[in-house]
Amino acid sequence: MSSSRSTVRQLGTAVRALVLTLVLGVGYPLVITALGQAAFGDRADGQPVTLDGETVGSAIIGQGFTDAEGAALPQWFQSRPSAAGNGYDGGASGGSNLGPENPDLVAAIEERRATVAELEGANLSAVPADALTASASGLDPHISPEYALLQVPRVAAERGLDETDVEALVEENTQGPDLGYLGEQRVDVLQLNIALAALET
Amino acid sequence: MTLAAAVLPLLTVVVVLALIHRPLGDHMARTFTGTNDLRVERGFYRVLGVDPASSQSWRSYLTGVLAFSAVSVLLVYLQQRTQALLPYSLGLPAVPEGLGFNTAVSFVTNTNWQSYSPEVTLGYTVQMVGLAVQNFVSAAVGLAVAVAFVRAFVARRSATLGNFWVDLTRAVLRILLPGAVIAALILLSGGVIQNFNGFTTVATLTGGEQVIPGGPVASQEAIKMLGTNGGGFFNANSAHPFESPSPWTSVFQVLLMLAIPFSLPRTFGTMIGQRRQGYAILGAMAVISLVSFTAATLAELSAHGAAAQAAGSASEGKEQRFGIVGSVLFGSVSTLTSTGAVNSMHDSYTAIGGMLPLINMMLGEVAPGGVGSGLYGMLVLAVVTVFVSGLLVGRTPEYLGKRIGAREIKLASLYILTMPALVLAGTALSFAVPVLRADIDGTSILNPGLHGMSEVLYAFTSAANNNGSAFAGLTANTPWLNTALGVVMLLGRFLPIVFVLALAGAFAAQDRVPATAGTLPTDRVQSATLLVGVTVIVTALTFFPVLALGPLAEGLL
């Protein structure tokens, strides 16, 4: 067989091999969807969180607790800075991608340190790194326990609650590391704030 | 940071790989040496019009690879161009020509470079029927080429290497699809989503609005990692909580990336009937990857550089749940394999911490590299190593009973020269041609100074090695970068495949020479060490100057 005939024949085989698309591109994801919805319905749907019957977000997607100008609303625990859209935009996930020596990033970090320290009435040096840096996804649902505890006095004062009660709430909502050693300790800010709202009523 | 917290995740990965590489490696060896066809496979061969018992010459095998890949590029391109007509397009328009070309090439070459932001570019149909299908079959092509190469060492005076269509089919149906189903269900149990909900807008706790995305993510995520593809369903890739909700799902994804590449040396050893040869290859891969991961972890924990010093740790672009160690583990593995997925933003790493993913790719993706491509890349380096050490001690170079003559060493050299030529030419052109440089400086580069050069270097290194990760501040959706990176991905994938299959043809045609007292052993610690040395020296000599211009200068100044 000449090589050109062989090439044409194998091109024909390649076109027929596209039936794999039906198995891998349609059958496989639909089977996984059916199994996933049946076995892990809530998880497969992204763990929606409801408050008074209304969906207010996802348990694993971070939210901003700021006003329209981006200033912190003092009655809520604050999330990390976010580079997703104008902040926590679920349609535009991503990080800042600012480099390790970028002067804009250094300036942003210093400005955030001053803002957070003022809001919490704390020393500049008391502000942990997660409060100063944007996450990779821009949708990080978590903050460090250090940052959560730093916010306790302010949140308690704003809401007229006992600091020890709010602190206990932070501890209840602290999880990880997974299996005791994978990843970091973390506090889910949305769930903490929902628990906080429930504490008042 | 305790030592245990830094070391235990790695130890977990090592232990699991130690447990699975034998059964998985042996399963793959059986898959590609068995003579029985499953019923569903026989049906598929009838559709293809292929006789599964027939065996192809290296040229015919290569024609199959190229024909299948060309048709795949065309299909994925057309799907994107007609997106507006497809169901579940989420109201998104057709993908423009340049971006459509880049993306089609990217997924067919197992690169999964993303010049686009998925949330605003691709609906569910293109993701599932276009991209996820390529996640399977591009990995299967890599496996097929690798086993064809391995067969050449077993063959004696043979004109053929096996049947590409049979290897492709078996790789998909017996290895990747079953693996992906299991992995998808495990990821679902960990909270990776799988739905067709589209974008839902919710009223947040503070009375604002938030968009929550949906999508068939778990099914895509599973094969994205298992096939060392790396293209994220979302822009944030595996940093997105819907792609990887917790530290353990992240470590599970690390295991998925490593499972096949670290089991293939066992497959190789089993197929040639000399398991120690496989373990020598595995040992070289393991040493390089452990050194690289350790160096990257130390660099990131050191928090060197202005931004990390200002914040107190290098946590810009990293998720709280993964932490520094979990981020670096994922980033290292993703670039040591040719995956390119990220759970943290490499552009924001410290200068030296960000240089290590770059070096991992510059090694040629061999430690352990991509599915299939890692093994054939390392075997070519083993051929070069034997040649070099043969010259040093004045013995006839042979590897596994095959003589390494002029034709063989030429092909191996061409294989090794291809990637650096593409990386350096692409980077140099971007800065040397004034009109391109104006575009690169004005539109593409995000970060000022040396780091901007690193962004461009990273992009071409990632494309030429079919990795797909990025210093993602770079805006790559421009005519120059879409075209140049697209061409580099094609050449970076298929030129080495041409050379490796030609080399396979040359080896298969030879008889096997029996080992004598004059044969250099290749299954000892000493030979594995030499292999590591050759791998590192080839890379260091080639790339040291350009690294000195970018990350090294940035990290040391």
Side-chain angles (χ1 to χ4, degrees):
Chain A
M1 189 177 356
S2 78
S3 72
S4 63
R5 263 185 63 203
S6 157
T7 304
V8 171
R9 198 174 51 82
Q10 292 214 63
L11 271 172
T13 309
V15 171
R16 288 193 290 277
L18 297 180
V19 299
L20 276 175
T21 298
L22 291 179
V23 179
L24 304 174
V26 182
Y28 161 69
L30 292 186
V31 166
I32 297 297
T33 307
L35 291 174
Q37 288 288 337
F40 310 104
D42 179 66
R43 291 181 184 206
D45 279 333
Q47 303 173 44
V49 191
T50 54
L51 187 67
D52 307 327
E54 296 289 321
T55 303
V56 295
S58 156
I60 58 173
I61 296 286
Q63 255 176 38
F65 298 90
T66 59
D67 63 19
E69 277 74 51
L73 294 170
Q75 68 273 34
W76 298 110
F77 281 95
Q78 296 296 308
S79 304
R80 296 179 66 182
S82 162
N86 291 323
Y88 291 95
D89 181 347
S93 64
S96 75
N97 284 310
L98 295 173
E101 304 289 337
N102 192 315
D104 293 346
L105 176 57
V106 177
I109 288 170
E110 278 164 2
E111 192 188 317
R112 287 168 188 155
R113 187 184 288 281
T115 311
V116 172
E118 194 194 328
L119 180 69
E120 311 301 349
N123 282 331
L124 287 173
S125 61
V127 184
D130 58 303
L132 305 171
T133 50
S135 63
S137 65
L139 302 173
D140 194 340
H142 299 118
I143 55 175
S144 65
E146 293 75 33
Y147 187 31
L149 291 172
L150 184 72
Q151 301 185 57
V152 165
R154 183 247 310 160
V155 172
E158 282 288 329
R159 292 179 172 262
L161 293 168
D162 217 21
E163 274 189 36
T164 50
D165 292 344
V166 180
E167 206 173 299
L169 219 50
V170 170
E171 267 157 37
E172 277 168 37
N173 283 281
T174 302
Q175 63 173 133
D178 291 8
L179 308 174
Y181 68 92
L182 291 178
E184 300 290 325
Q185 275 210 322
R186 56 204 188 269
V187 182
D188 186 306
V189 186
L190 177 59
Q191 289 183 342
L192 175 62
N193 277 331
I194 287 176
L196 187 67
L199 200 62
E200 264 184 348
T201 52
Chain B
M1 175 59 53
T2 63
L3 188 64
V7 173
L8 283 176
L10 173 69
L11 203 63
T12 306
V13 171
V14 171
V15 168
V16 174
L17 287 176
L19 290 173
I20 65 168
H21 82 281
R22 279 177 178 223
L24 181 55
D26 292 348
H27 169 69
M28 291 193 285
R30 278 194 304 274
T31 296
F32 293 112
T33 52
T35 48
N36 289 336
D37 300 308
L38 305 175
R39 181 191 296 246
V40 53
E41 289 170 349
R42 284 196 296 269
F44 185 59
Y45 298 142
R46 273 197 294 277
V47 174
L48 292 187
V50 163
D51 170 13
S54 68
S55 189
Q56 295 174 294
S57 70
W58 77 264
R59 284 177 199 277
S60 178
Y61 201 99
L62 174 65
T63 306
V65 169
L66 296 180
F68 180 68
S69 301
V71 169
S72 296
V73 169
L74 194 64
L75 178 74
V76 178
Y77 181 77
L78 289 177
Q79 286 170 348
Q80 294 176 81
R81 297 290 293 144
T82 56
Q83 169 160 270
L85 309 173
L86 300 174
Y88 283 106
S89 64
L90 308 180
L92 293 164
V95 179
E97 289 97 342
L99 183 57
F101 161 75
N102 185 283
T103 305
V105 165
S106 174
F107 279 75
V108 172
T109 56
N110 199 256
T111 312
N112 306 50
W113 171 269
Q114 295 172 292
S115 280
Y116 61 95
S117 174
E119 285 99 322
V120 293
T121 315
L122 297 180
Y124 298 163
T125 302
V126 175
Q127 294 248 31
M128 286 193 314
V129 179
L131 306 189
V133 172
Q134 289 309 315
N135 282 353
F136 281 98
V137 296
S138 65
V141 167
L143 272 175
V145 173
V147 293
F149 193 38
V150 172
R151 286 189 192 119
F153 291 106
V154 186
R156 292 164 174 250
R157 297 181 176 283
S158 167
T160 61
L161 298 173
N163 188 309
F164 167 67
W165 302 102
V166 173
D167 291 339
L168 175 79
T169 307
R170 289 186 181 180
V172 168
L173 294 182
R174 299 193 195 180
I175 298 167
L176 298 170
L177 186 56
V181 169
I182 296 166
L185 293 176
I186 293 174
L187 288 169
L188 265 161
S189 79
V192 178
I193 63 170
Q194 181 80 14
N195 61 58
F196 287 86
N197 294 348
F199 292 98
T200 326
T201 304
V202 300
T204 62
L205 211 51
T206 61
E209 282 191 341
Q210 187 180 35
V211 170
I212 307 277
V217 179
S219 55
Q220 193 145 331
E221 201 67 18
I223 189 60
K224 162 192 151 191
M225 310 313 286
L226 186 66
T228 62
N229 297 283
F233 194 93
F234 300 114
N235 189 45
N237 209 301
S238 284
H240 198 295
F242 280 170
E243 286 198 30
S244 186
S246 63
W248 79 257
T249 55
S250 191
V251 171
F252 179 65
Q253 294 188 354
V254 163
L255 285 166
L256 287 177
M257 290 191 262
L258 294 172
I260 293 177
F262 260 127
S263 301
L264 275 173
R266 169 84 182 185
T267 310
F268 162 66
T270 303
M271 284 177 72
I272 62 168
Q274 303 176 61
R275 291 216 166 110
R276 282 175 60 100
Q277 299 285 355
Y279 282 105
I281 297 288
L282 183 68
M285 291 173 167
V287 166
I288 294 173
S289 49
L290 283 173
V291 169
S292 169
F293 166 66
T294 307
T297 305
L298 292 175
E300 285 305 280
L301 288 174
S302 80
H304 188 72
Q309 287 298 308
S313 103
S315 45
E316 180 72 24
K318 295 191 178 74
E319 299 282 296
Q320 173 64 31
R321 61 193 180 283
F322 304 140
I324 304 262
V325 173
S327 299
V328 177
L329 177 63
F330 193 100
S332 297
V333 168
S334 177
T335 47
L336 285 162
T337 62
S338 73
T339 310
V342 295
N343 79 352
S344 57
M345 293 303 152
H346 296 183
D347 214 350
S348 298
Y349 274 31
T350 64
I352 302 298
M355 181 175 72
L356 282 148
L358 196 49
I359 291 179
N360 291 342
M361 296 187 285
M362 287 170 171
L363 290 168
E365 297 292 19
V366 291
V371 167
S373 57
L375 179 65
Y376 64 68
M378 200 50 137
L379 289 178
V380 170
L381 279 164
V383 166
V384 173
T385 304
V386 169
F387 182 76
V388 170
S389 36
L391 287 183
L392 289 175
V393 296
R395 290 179 184 177
T396 321
E398 36 185 83
Y399 183 54
L400 308 174
K402 300 290 183 177
R403 285 185 198 283
I404 299 162
R407 176 175 169 78
E408 287 80 8
I409 200 65
K410 275 182 199 159
L411 288 167
S413 304
L414 283 169
Y415 180 103
I416 287 182
L417 286 171
T418 303
M419 181 274 286
L422 292 170
V423 172
L424 296 174
T427 310
L429 279 176
S430 299
F431 288 105
V433 179
V435 56
L436 299 180
R437 179 166 187 155
D439 185 48
I440 287 280
D441 277 341
T443 309
S444 291
I445 285 178
L446 173 74
N447 285 290
L450 300 165
H451 202 74
M453 204 289 289
S454 303
E455 288 179 348
V456 178
L457 175 65
Y458 197 107
F460 280 97
T461 307
S462 177
N465 285 289
N466 301 129
N467 181 270
S469 67
F471 272 4
L474 187 79
T475 300
N477 191 10
T478 64
W480 162 244
L481 285 180
N482 272 336
T483 311
L485 294 174
V487 171
V488 166
M489 285 189 275
L490 275 178
L491 296 176
R493 174 71 163 179
F494 293 110
L495 279 181
I497 285 181
V498 171
F499 299 134
V500 89
L501 286 177
L503 192 55
F507 281 145
Q510 289 184 27
D511 205 348
R512 286 182 81 173
V513 258
T516 63
T519 308
L520 275 175
T522 50
D523 58 354
R524 309 277 168 82
V525 172
Q526 188 190 23
S527 55
T529 310
L530 270 172
L531 177 55
V532 171
V534 166
T535 307
V536 171
I537 288 168
V538 166
T539 311
L541 292 180
T542 315
F543 290 110
F544 180 78
V546 74
L547 289 172
L549 289 175
L552 268 180
E554 189 180 32
L556 299 178
L557 285 181

